Amino acid sequence: MKRNGETKRRRNVAEEAEQGGEDPAMWENLDRNFRQVQSVLDRNRSLIQQVNDNHQSRMADNMSKNVALIQELNGNISKVVSMYSDLNTNFSSAFHGGKNGQEGGGGASGTRAN
């Protein structure tokens, strides 16, 4: 059921953007990027569960597996930070570029939302 709701929501966002004179491709791109971030976050949730399960088992082999799992988790956290930074830059550029008629302008590069 959730998938149908997501598809309907994406369609509504694109339709509303067209009616409002906004660029639907920009919103679709943002939606795609957010889904990529969510995929990494979902993987992190799975990794955390595996680490917890291994830790609770108290078996030496499982505990040693946690090293690789935690390293992957750490790398994924860095990916998420980078993805959100890119999203922020892309959104700011598109928003300021659309409002000012500039392509990728607005000086938003390198800024981060807190």
Side-chain angles (χ1 to χ4, degrees):
M1 271 190 216
K2 187 176 181 182
R3 291 286 178 196
N4 290 339
E6 289 175 9
T7 302
K8 187 175 182 179
R9 180 187 53 79
R10 283 194 295 267
R11 191 177 318 120
N12 288 343
V13 167
E15 289 171 1
E16 288 173 13
E18 280 183 38
Q19 292 171 358
E22 298 170 3
D23 182 8
M26 176 189 73
W27 291 109
E28 289 172 9
N29 186 39
L30 285 171
D31 186 57
R32 181 175 50 255
N33 289 337
F34 276 118
R35 281 186 274 125
Q36 289 173 343
V37 168
Q38 188 61 51
S39 174
V40 176
L41 293 174
D42 290 342
R43 173 66 180 154
N44 285 355
R45 181 183 301 115
S46 173
L47 288 171
I48 290 167
Q49 186 61 52
Q50 286 178 274
V51 168
N52 286 336
D53 291 345
N54 288 345
H55 182 74
Q56 289 175 356
S57 77
R58 299 188 186 272
M59 294 175 57
D61 186 48
N62 287 345
M63 299 289 268
S64 65
K65 290 177 184 178
N66 279 354
V67 173
L69 295 173
I70 292 169
Q71 288 173 339
E72 182 180 348
L73 183 62
N74 188 45
N76 286 351
I77 291 169
S78 296
K79 282 182 194 176
V80 169
V81 169
S82 178
M83 293 167 95
Y84 273 128
S85 179
D86 291 345
L87 270 166
N88 180 45
T89 300
N90 293 341
F91 180 77
S92 295
S93 295
F95 181 77
H96 291 300
K99 295 291 184 189
N100 298 330
Q102 300 169 356
E103 182 85 17
S109 180
T111 60
R112 291 184 185 212
N114 291 334

